[in-house]
Amino acid sequence: MYYAKGQQGVVRPVVLADGFNLGPSDLDWLYDWLENGRYPFISQLRARGRTLVLVGFDERSESILTNAEAMTAAILRTSAEQLDDARLMVGGFSMGGIVARYALAKMETQRMDHRAGVYVSFDSPHRGAWVPIGLQAFAHYLAKTGDDTYLRQISSPASQQMLWRYLDALDGTPAESPLRTGFKEQLQKVGGWPRIPRLMGVSSGRGDGVGNGVEAGKETLSCSGPLFEGTRFLAQSQGKKAQVAVLDGVLGGPHTITTDDFPELDGAPGGTLESFGIIADALTTVGEKVTATHRSACFVPSVSAVAVRDLDRQEDLYANIDNLPPDESELDDYLLSADNDPHTLMTPEIGEWVLDRLPD
């Protein structure tokens, strides 16, 4: 909890939830990400007389439904300790925005007063997130070595609830996870969205339909030994039997990984993640020779972050959101970024836009 400048108690609070990863939240890291990047969001918030409450979780990869209970407790405690009667801003970063969305909506169905005047999500995957299917397959392949860290991350409850498509086995077929289907059903049971606060969201991606430059079908990452020689990954392309990876090396193979009728997700407009870079770095540390043509790919498409389109169709994924009627979004107000920036990056544009919309 970070009190407003000159205050020693909770006034005009902003309650924001942490995002996804394995293990417990590291709120010192989150503070540094928000304060010491392109824009000092926390200092600016405190200078405007706001108390910031950062909500962490014991296990960030646990079910969104479970972590929503911690979010509810944080909202109630904040209200109980508040010294004034200002409405709260409540939201979160990435998964945290989904956690906050569900928590607020459920509180309303239970007739609990959350006192939120504004809900805000920072690059949250309202219509789903994307991790390349080739990388999901490699997580299964790599687990044969005994290192299942990446597989545990991909297969965790929260990950499956957020991913647009999930691969459950090396030889599996990518599909919507039953955990995601179940979560969407639970979300609808509480109304889908909270109805009392104003709904706002920001995307780390562009709104004009221009992608990030990762060209469909082109190689993104390749290995030349000594462990995974012949392994390579290709950017997601459209069509039937679209090849996205070949996995080979000391663990056996080759295993050719394909998809059917996916849009060009890796290069889509949206917040980016170093999906290929993370794997490249991990392989380099064990002595593998790696060529990473593209370290980053789309993680949360712009249309998902501002809840305006689903991800199934190419024309929707690359929609020019700037030209769409604002009421096509499920949000009351939203902001797209000037570029396809790293996922949840706090930029001056985003920071000022959010601060200008704080509840009175």
Side-chain angles (χ1 to χ4, degrees):
M1 186 176 292
Y2 305 93
Y3 294 133
K5 189 174 182 180
Q7 297 288 335
Q8 293 300 317
V10 178
V11 294
R12 306 172 77 195
V14 175
V15 185
L16 299 176
D18 193 14
F20 173 81
N21 212 326
L22 284 180
S25 291
D26 182 347
L27 295 184
D28 290 338
W29 181 93
L30 181 58
Y31 178 97
D32 185 67
W33 175 254
L34 295 174
E35 180 66 12
N36 298 318
R38 293 189 192 175
Y39 182 79
F41 181 71
I42 296 175
S43 294
Q44 291 296 320
L45 195 66
R46 294 179 63 236
R48 298 193 187 203
R50 307 283 172 163
T51 296
L52 173 62
V53 179
L54 293 178
V55 182
F57 307 109
D58 291 337
E59 179 48 67
R60 287 171 287 179
S61 66
E62 182 55 89
S63 169
I64 292 171
L65 303 176
T66 299
N67 281 334
E69 296 174 8
M71 188 65 181
T72 299
I75 293 168
L76 293 175
R77 179 178 174 182
T78 301
S79 294
E81 296 183 8
Q82 188 176 351
L83 302 178
D84 61 358
D85 60 358
R87 305 294 286 183
L88 282 63
M89 172 181 274
V90 176
F93 305 96
S94 189
M95 178 198 73
I98 307 299
V99 171
R101 171 183 167 184
Y102 179 81
L104 291 172
K106 186 175 181 181
M107 290 177 77
E108 291 181 4
T109 65
Q110 296 176 330
R111 299 184 183 277
M112 299 170 67
D113 185 7
H114 52 57
R115 302 193 60 256
V118 172
Y119 160 83
V120 61
S121 61
F122 294 82
D123 212 34
S124 296
H126 293 296
R127 301 291 182 90
W130 169 249
V131 170
I133 297 301
L135 293 180
Q136 294 190 44
F138 192 63
H140 289 282
Y141 185 68
L142 197 61
K144 295 180 181 181
T145 66
D147 182 0
D148 66 348
T149 303
Y150 193 47
L151 181 60
R152 285 189 291 113
Q153 187 176 49
I154 291 292
S155 300
S156 67
S159 174
Q160 292 191 50
Q161 288 168 334
M162 289 187 294
L163 285 175
W164 174 70
R165 292 294 181 266
Y166 169 68
L167 188 69
D168 64 359
L170 179 58
D171 59 352
T173 300
E176 180 173 283
S177 167
L179 291 183
R180 175 164 176 78
T181 303
F183 172 68
K184 291 195 297 184
E185 290 171 352
Q186 291 299 314
L187 188 59
Q188 289 308 308
K189 285 182 180 179
V190 296
W193 295 86
R195 298 302 175 189
I196 295 172
R198 181 169 176 79
L199 305 177
M200 304 197 318
V202 299
S203 170
S204 296
R206 298 174 64 135
D208 58 2
V210 176
N212 57 30
V214 178
E215 189 176 350
K218 298 296 185 180
E219 191 172 277
T220 57
L221 175 66
S222 63
C223 302
S224 54
L227 300 175
F228 301 103
E229 185 173 2
T231 291
R232 65 192 189 111
F233 301 89
L234 306 174
Q236 182 65 58
S237 57
Q238 301 182 69
K240 300 287 187 183
K241 300 296 181 183
Q243 187 178 115
V244 294
V246 176
L247 310 181
D248 205 356
V250 296
L251 300 177
H255 302 278
T256 300
I257 312 301
T258 63
T259 60
D260 286 332
D261 298 322
F262 280 29
E264 297 170 6
L265 281 145
D266 288 330
T272 64
L273 185 69
E274 287 202 333
S275 305
F276 295 104
I278 291 169
I279 295 298
D281 292 344
L283 292 175
T284 299
T285 62
V286 297
E288 185 71 16
K289 296 178 182 178
V290 175
T291 300
T293 307
H294 293 287
R295 291 183 60 87
S296 297
C298 180
F299 179 51
V300 177
S302 298
V303 293
S304 179
V306 300
V308 72
R309 289 283 192 277
D310 289 329
L311 312 186
D312 305 70
R313 303 194 308 163
Q314 180 80 0
E315 55 267 39
D316 288 339
L317 185 64
Y318 284 78
N320 188 329
I321 305 170
D322 294 339
N323 289 343
L324 296 177
D327 60 6
E328 288 199 23
S329 171
E330 295 176 284
L331 299 166
D332 297 315
D333 197 5
Y334 58 81
L335 176 72
L336 284 304
S337 295
D339 204 351
N340 294 307
D341 286 324
H343 177 53
T344 70
L345 180 68
M346 184 59 69
T347 64
E349 180 185 24
I350 287 175
E352 292 293 337
W353 187 88
V354 171
L355 293 178
D356 287 345
R357 286 158 178 79
L358 290 165
D360 296 328

